[in-house]
Amino acid sequence: MSSTSQKHKDFVAEPMGEKPVMALAGIGEVLGKRLEDKGFDKAYVVLGQFLVLKKDEELFRDWLKDTCGANVKQQGDCYGCLKEWCDAFL
Amino acid sequence: MPFAEDPAHLSKSRLKSDLVAHNVALPSAASKKAVYVELHLKHIDQKNAADFSSDEEDRADDKKDAEMPVPSCLTDEDLKAMLRKHGVKPGPITASTRVLYERKLHKLLQSDRRERLNEADKAVLYSDSEEEKKQQEKDQDSGSEKQPDPSDQTQKESSQNHVFYPQCFLPSSRLRPCPPRNTESSSNWNSRNALKSSERSQSQCSQIISTSTADHHTGLGSTVLPRSKSTDDSSLSSQYFSITQMVEEMENSSSRSVTDNACEFNGTSVQENWAQSDRPPQEPVKDAFKDILPGSKTTPTGIYVTRRRPIKGAAQRPVQYSYPDSPVSPMTQQRREVERYLVPIHIQILVFIIVACVLYLIYVNVEGSLSYWSYGEDRLLVQAESQDAEADYAQD
């Protein structure tokens, strides 16, 4: 299993509250900007989409790719980050 | 239309697809079936009344559409239903999720189509091989040569079949009852039947092997028996089973000529080698690299590359002018370390000799002096006595 990044660890360590979407692992400035333009300006909105897709990995990855053009690694990082957050706090 | 294809009898999705096929604008998604039926009657029935000849084509197309509905034409509920049919439990189908679920359904439908095609292909294959089998059976009955033919046929069968099916080789006349049973059993091309048939044939062949080995009374036979039994247990042991049989065949032919124990032992080693060597060819090339480079990631091109060994004397490493001593075993290293603290043996021996010499000299001197002493002691004693006596005289 690959190791998690510092961003992932920071995100998963506490409730996300009002954190911006760029706080998600795998989402940097460029992708964050694209998501914000689509209306996903906070991390909890992306969480909402993740939950609506019933935490399904394939669907979430597809959605992420369609929405902001994330590559496979970024999709995986974001999915893993959100999944772990849900396991811890939801 | 010849058939009473009332639009009212068709399903909502079918109506929808019909409308789409005829380029009719669809009503809103939540509208009732009646609306669809009306539209269907309006547009499509008119068209059908007009051109009768194209009816069959349309129906064929409609039927196709009914079988494979386009995901984007389905309502949310229909999409959900279709997904559930394929074992997927979809979440809420909203504006953002709809596209994703449509794509998923599309993939599932495509995979279904592929499966159906594969099944059709397999059915075709089986039918072909059935015909060939029948021909072979006829040849078998008519043919006079029994030994080579059955073996060839079974070999052909085995080559044609998947590796799954048993490969029963026939070494001697004793095993003649095997082939007809084998062909009959393997003519059933159902996978389940094949399983049963393989088990049956394996049990038959194991019996035959047991009789043959018992007859030969070789030490090898006893070792083969447990192996054949163990292989019978596993369902995928047909390969190994056949190899043991094959080698036994060789064994039987060779044992008649040579009856040395050494030969038998060689046979066991050969048998093991054969059994083992057959495995790598069975597992194709893809495993070879994985064995060599277990840690490497798979590449899309299939090319595996290892880093080249760096050249000695490269810039990053300083050049060594003096190289360490020749490699020493750990035992000698330990001994050397210990010996640093202890006194060397030569010096110990020297010291020992010196001490011995010293002691000897002392002994010799003492002995000499002792004899002198003993002699002297008597004198002294005598002198002492005389002195005493003189002393006594003096005192008196």
Side-chain angles (χ1 to χ4, degrees), chain B residues 360-378:
Chain B
Y360 179 70
L361 287 168
I362 291 168
Y363 174 70
V364 164
N365 289 334
V366 165
E367 218 176 300
S369 64
L370 261 176
S371 62
Y372 180 72
W373 262 49
S374 62
Y375 186 64
E377 261 184 20
D378 293 337

PDB file of all heavy atoms in Angstrom, chain B residues 360-378:
ATOM      1  N   TYR B 360      64.351 -28.306  36.012  1.00  0.00           N
ATOM      2  CA  TYR B 360      65.272 -29.440  35.910  1.00  0.00           C
ATOM      3  C   TYR B 360      66.597 -29.114  36.594  1.00  0.00           C
ATOM      4  O   TYR B 360      67.151 -29.929  37.325  1.00  0.00           O
ATOM      5  CB  TYR B 360      65.476 -29.806  34.440  1.00  0.00           C
ATOM      6  CG  TYR B 360      66.419 -30.950  34.242  1.00  0.00           C
ATOM      7  CD1 TYR B 360      66.063 -32.247  34.607  1.00  0.00           C
ATOM      8  CD2 TYR B 360      67.706 -30.714  33.722  1.00  0.00           C
ATOM      9  CE1 TYR B 360      66.919 -33.309  34.425  1.00  0.00           C
ATOM     10  CE2 TYR B 360      68.570 -31.784  33.548  1.00  0.00           C
ATOM     11  CZ  TYR B 360      68.182 -33.067  33.897  1.00  0.00           C
ATOM     12  OH  TYR B 360      69.035 -34.103  33.732  1.00  0.00           O
ATOM     13  N   LEU B 361      67.082 -27.946  36.311  1.00  0.00           N
ATOM     14  CA  LEU B 361      68.359 -27.548  36.913  1.00  0.00           C
ATOM     15  C   LEU B 361      68.244 -27.539  38.439  1.00  0.00           C
ATOM     16  O   LEU B 361      69.114 -28.041  39.144  1.00  0.00           O
ATOM     17  CB  LEU B 361      68.762 -26.156  36.413  1.00  0.00           C
ATOM     18  CG  LEU B 361      69.242 -26.100  34.966  1.00  0.00           C
ATOM     19  CD1 LEU B 361      69.327 -24.652  34.486  1.00  0.00           C
ATOM     20  CD2 LEU B 361      70.613 -26.777  34.855  1.00  0.00           C
ATOM     21  N   ILE B 362      67.144 -26.991  38.854  1.00  0.00           N
ATOM     22  CA  ILE B 362      66.937 -26.944  40.305  1.00  0.00           C
ATOM     23  C   ILE B 362      66.907 -28.361  40.852  1.00  0.00           C
ATOM     24  O   ILE B 362      67.541 -28.680  41.867  1.00  0.00           O
ATOM     25  CB  ILE B 362      65.632 -26.191  40.638  1.00  0.00           C
ATOM     26  CG1 ILE B 362      65.767 -24.708  40.317  1.00  0.00           C
ATOM     27  CG2 ILE B 362      65.278 -26.381  42.105  1.00  0.00           C
ATOM     28  CD1 ILE B 362      64.489 -23.949  40.341  1.00  0.00           C
ATOM     29  N   TYR B 363      66.219 -29.185  40.187  1.00  0.00           N
ATOM     30  CA  TYR B 363      66.090 -30.574  40.645  1.00  0.00           C
ATOM     31  C   TYR B 363      67.460 -31.243  40.722  1.00  0.00           C
ATOM     32  O   TYR B 363      67.802 -31.935  41.692  1.00  0.00           O
ATOM     33  CB  TYR B 363      65.167 -31.309  39.672  1.00  0.00           C
ATOM     34  CG  TYR B 363      65.056 -32.794  39.928  1.00  0.00           C
ATOM     35  CD1 TYR B 363      64.392 -33.265  41.057  1.00  0.00           C
ATOM     36  CD2 TYR B 363      65.640 -33.707  39.040  1.00  0.00           C
ATOM     37  CE1 TYR B 363      64.279 -34.624  41.275  1.00  0.00           C
ATOM     38  CE2 TYR B 363      65.529 -35.063  39.275  1.00  0.00           C
ATOM     39  CZ  TYR B 363      64.848 -35.533  40.374  1.00  0.00           C
ATOM     40  OH  TYR B 363      64.757 -36.857  40.609  1.00  0.00           O
ATOM     41  N   VAL B 364      68.212 -31.025  39.621  1.00  0.00           N
ATOM     42  CA  VAL B 364      69.536 -31.638  39.560  1.00  0.00           C
ATOM     43  C   VAL B 364      70.395 -31.112  40.728  1.00  0.00           C
ATOM     44  O   VAL B 364      71.056 -31.877  41.435  1.00  0.00           O
ATOM     45  CB  VAL B 364      70.183 -31.331  38.197  1.00  0.00           C
ATOM     46  CG1 VAL B 364      71.671 -31.589  38.228  1.00  0.00           C
ATOM     47  CG2 VAL B 364      69.528 -32.172  37.122  1.00  0.00           C
ATOM     48  N   ASN B 365      70.358 -29.820  40.908  1.00  0.00           N
ATOM     49  CA  ASN B 365      71.184 -29.225  41.975  1.00  0.00           C
ATOM     50  C   ASN B 365      70.748 -29.730  43.333  1.00  0.00           C
ATOM     51  O   ASN B 365      71.568 -30.080  44.180  1.00  0.00           O
ATOM     52  CB  ASN B 365      71.075 -27.696  41.940  1.00  0.00           C
ATOM     53  CG  ASN B 365      71.790 -27.129  40.731  1.00  0.00           C
ATOM     54  OD1 ASN B 365      72.721 -27.754  40.221  1.00  0.00           O
ATOM     55  ND2 ASN B 365      71.400 -25.948  40.301  1.00  0.00           N
ATOM     56  N   VAL B 366      69.470 -29.745  43.469  1.00  0.00           N
ATOM     57  CA  VAL B 366      68.952 -30.191  44.783  1.00  0.00           C
ATOM     58  C   VAL B 366      69.337 -31.636  45.019  1.00  0.00           C
ATOM     59  O   VAL B 366      69.732 -32.030  46.127  1.00  0.00           O
ATOM     60  CB  VAL B 366      67.418 -30.004  44.818  1.00  0.00           C
ATOM     61  CG1 VAL B 366      66.793 -30.765  45.976  1.00  0.00           C
ATOM     62  CG2 VAL B 366      67.123 -28.517  44.935  1.00  0.00           C
ATOM     63  N   GLU B 367      69.243 -32.392  43.991  1.00  0.00           N
ATOM     64  CA  GLU B 367      69.573 -33.811  44.147  1.00  0.00           C
ATOM     65  C   GLU B 367      71.038 -33.978  44.541  1.00  0.00           C
ATOM     66  O   GLU B 367      71.383 -34.780  45.408  1.00  0.00           O
ATOM     67  CB  GLU B 367      69.278 -34.540  42.837  1.00  0.00           C
ATOM     68  CG  GLU B 367      68.707 -35.924  43.113  1.00  0.00           C
ATOM     69  CD  GLU B 367      68.310 -36.674  41.882  1.00  0.00           C
ATOM     70  OE1 GLU B 367      67.433 -36.166  41.147  1.00  0.00           O
ATOM     71  OE2 GLU B 367      68.888 -37.733  41.663  1.00  0.00           O
ATOM     72  N   GLY B 368      71.801 -33.194  43.818  1.00  0.00           N
ATOM     73  CA  GLY B 368      73.217 -33.277  44.108  1.00  0.00           C
ATOM     74  C   GLY B 368      73.495 -32.847  45.554  1.00  0.00           C
ATOM     75  O   GLY B 368      74.204 -33.517  46.313  1.00  0.00           O
ATOM     76  N   SER B 369      72.910 -31.727  45.871  1.00  0.00           N
ATOM     77  CA  SER B 369      73.127 -31.191  47.224  1.00  0.00           C
ATOM     78  C   SER B 369      72.485 -32.097  48.261  1.00  0.00           C
ATOM     79  O   SER B 369      72.962 -32.192  49.398  1.00  0.00           O
ATOM     80  CB  SER B 369      72.560 -29.775  47.296  1.00  0.00           C
ATOM     81  OG  SER B 369      71.170 -29.828  47.112  1.00  0.00           O
ATOM     82  N   LEU B 370      71.398 -32.692  47.839  1.00  0.00           N
ATOM     83  CA  LEU B 370      70.716 -33.611  48.770  1.00  0.00           C
ATOM     84  C   LEU B 370      71.642 -34.755  49.156  1.00  0.00           C
ATOM     85  O   LEU B 370      71.803 -35.093  50.345  1.00  0.00           O
ATOM     86  CB  LEU B 370      69.456 -34.185  48.128  1.00  0.00           C
ATOM     87  CG  LEU B 370      68.146 -33.494  48.528  1.00  0.00           C
ATOM     88  CD1 LEU B 370      66.994 -34.087  47.753  1.00  0.00           C
ATOM     89  CD2 LEU B 370      67.903 -33.589  50.006  1.00  0.00           C
ATOM     90  N   SER B 371      72.264 -35.351  48.129  1.00  0.00           N
ATOM     91  CA  SER B 371      73.174 -36.466  48.411  1.00  0.00           C
ATOM     92  C   SER B 371      74.338 -35.957  49.278  1.00  0.00           C
ATOM     93  O   SER B 371      74.763 -36.606  50.221  1.00  0.00           O
ATOM     94  CB  SER B 371      73.696 -37.072  47.106  1.00  0.00           C
ATOM     95  OG  SER B 371      74.437 -36.086  46.396  1.00  0.00           O
ATOM     96  N   TYR B 372      74.809 -34.776  48.892  1.00  0.00           N
ATOM     97  CA  TYR B 372      75.858 -34.160  49.696  1.00  0.00           C
ATOM     98  C   TYR B 372      75.335 -33.866  51.099  1.00  0.00           C
ATOM     99  O   TYR B 372      76.033 -34.035  52.068  1.00  0.00           O
ATOM    100  CB  TYR B 372      76.305 -32.894  48.953  1.00  0.00           C
ATOM    101  CG  TYR B 372      77.392 -32.136  49.663  1.00  0.00           C
ATOM    102  CD1 TYR B 372      78.709 -32.645  49.703  1.00  0.00           C
ATOM    103  CD2 TYR B 372      77.118 -30.914  50.310  1.00  0.00           C
ATOM    104  CE1 TYR B 372      79.718 -31.948  50.357  1.00  0.00           C
ATOM    105  CE2 TYR B 372      78.136 -30.222  50.949  1.00  0.00           C
ATOM    106  CZ  TYR B 372      79.424 -30.733  50.967  1.00  0.00           C
ATOM    107  OH  TYR B 372      80.418 -30.077  51.621  1.00  0.00           O
ATOM    108  N   TRP B 373      74.156 -33.389  51.047  1.00  0.00           N
ATOM    109  CA  TRP B 373      73.521 -33.055  52.318  1.00  0.00           C
ATOM    110  C   TRP B 373      73.376 -34.309  53.190  1.00  0.00           C
ATOM    111  O   TRP B 373      73.695 -34.266  54.393  1.00  0.00           O
ATOM    112  CB  TRP B 373      72.107 -32.472  52.045  1.00  0.00           C
ATOM    113  CG  TRP B 373      72.089 -30.984  52.056  1.00  0.00           C
ATOM    114  CD1 TRP B 373      72.928 -30.147  51.404  1.00  0.00           C
ATOM    115  CD2 TRP B 373      71.201 -30.186  52.801  1.00  0.00           C
ATOM    116  NE1 TRP B 373      72.626 -28.879  51.669  1.00  0.00           N
ATOM    117  CE2 TRP B 373      71.529 -28.852  52.532  1.00  0.00           C
ATOM    118  CE3 TRP B 373      70.139 -30.478  53.685  1.00  0.00           C
ATOM    119  CZ2 TRP B 373      70.842 -27.801  53.118  1.00  0.00           C
ATOM    120  CZ3 TRP B 373      69.459 -29.409  54.235  1.00  0.00           C
ATOM    121  CH2 TRP B 373      69.815 -28.090  53.965  1.00  0.00           C
ATOM    122  N   SER B 374      72.854 -35.340  52.569  1.00  0.00           N
ATOM    123  CA  SER B 374      72.619 -36.552  53.363  1.00  0.00           C
ATOM    124  C   SER B 374      73.946 -37.052  53.934  1.00  0.00           C
ATOM    125  O   SER B 374      74.046 -37.408  55.108  1.00  0.00           O
ATOM    126  CB  SER B 374      71.955 -37.630  52.507  1.00  0.00           C
ATOM    127  OG  SER B 374      72.839 -37.985  51.439  1.00  0.00           O
ATOM    128  N   TYR B 375      74.942 -37.023  53.031  1.00  0.00           N
ATOM    129  CA  TYR B 375      76.268 -37.390  53.510  1.00  0.00           C
ATOM    130  C   TYR B 375      76.743 -36.390  54.587  1.00  0.00           C
ATOM    131  O   TYR B 375      77.283 -36.788  55.605  1.00  0.00           O
ATOM    132  CB  TYR B 375      77.227 -37.411  52.316  1.00  0.00           C
ATOM    133  CG  TYR B 375      78.595 -37.919  52.680  1.00  0.00           C
ATOM    134  CD1 TYR B 375      78.797 -39.233  53.124  1.00  0.00           C
ATOM    135  CD2 TYR B 375      79.721 -37.060  52.598  1.00  0.00           C
ATOM    136  CE1 TYR B 375      80.056 -39.690  53.461  1.00  0.00           C
ATOM    137  CE2 TYR B 375      80.970 -37.527  52.925  1.00  0.00           C
ATOM    138  CZ  TYR B 375      81.138 -38.839  53.361  1.00  0.00           C
ATOM    139  OH  TYR B 375      82.366 -39.279  53.704  1.00  0.00           O
ATOM    140  N   GLY B 376      76.500 -35.143  54.223  1.00  0.00           N
ATOM    141  CA  GLY B 376      76.942 -34.090  55.126  1.00  0.00           C
ATOM    142  C   GLY B 376      76.182 -34.127  56.436  1.00  0.00           C
ATOM    143  O   GLY B 376      76.739 -33.833  57.495  1.00  0.00           O
ATOM    144  N   GLU B 377      74.971 -34.489  56.364  1.00  0.00           N
ATOM    145  CA  GLU B 377      74.121 -34.483  57.557  1.00  0.00           C
ATOM    146  C   GLU B 377      74.665 -35.482  58.578  1.00  0.00           C
ATOM    147  O   GLU B 377      74.715 -35.178  59.778  1.00  0.00           O
ATOM    148  CB  GLU B 377      72.672 -34.872  57.195  1.00  0.00           C
ATOM    149  CG  GLU B 377      71.788 -33.655  57.043  1.00  0.00           C
ATOM    150  CD  GLU B 377      70.376 -34.023  56.797  1.00  0.00           C
ATOM    151  OE1 GLU B 377      69.959 -35.167  57.101  1.00  0.00           O
ATOM    152  OE2 GLU B 377      69.633 -33.156  56.282  1.00  0.00           O
ATOM    153  N   ASP B 378      75.026 -36.632  58.048  1.00  0.00           N
ATOM    154  CA  ASP B 378      75.581 -37.612  58.979  1.00  0.00           C
ATOM    155  C   ASP B 378      76.802 -37.021  59.661  1.00  0.00           C
ATOM    156  O   ASP B 378      76.976 -37.140  60.872  1.00  0.00           O
ATOM    157  CB  ASP B 378      75.988 -38.901  58.240  1.00  0.00           C
ATOM    158  CG  ASP B 378      74.778 -39.617  57.707  1.00  0.00           C
ATOM    159  OD1 ASP B 378      73.677 -39.390  58.271  1.00  0.00           O
ATOM    160  OD2 ASP B 378      74.884 -40.362  56.710  1.00  0.00           O
TER     161      ASP B 378
END
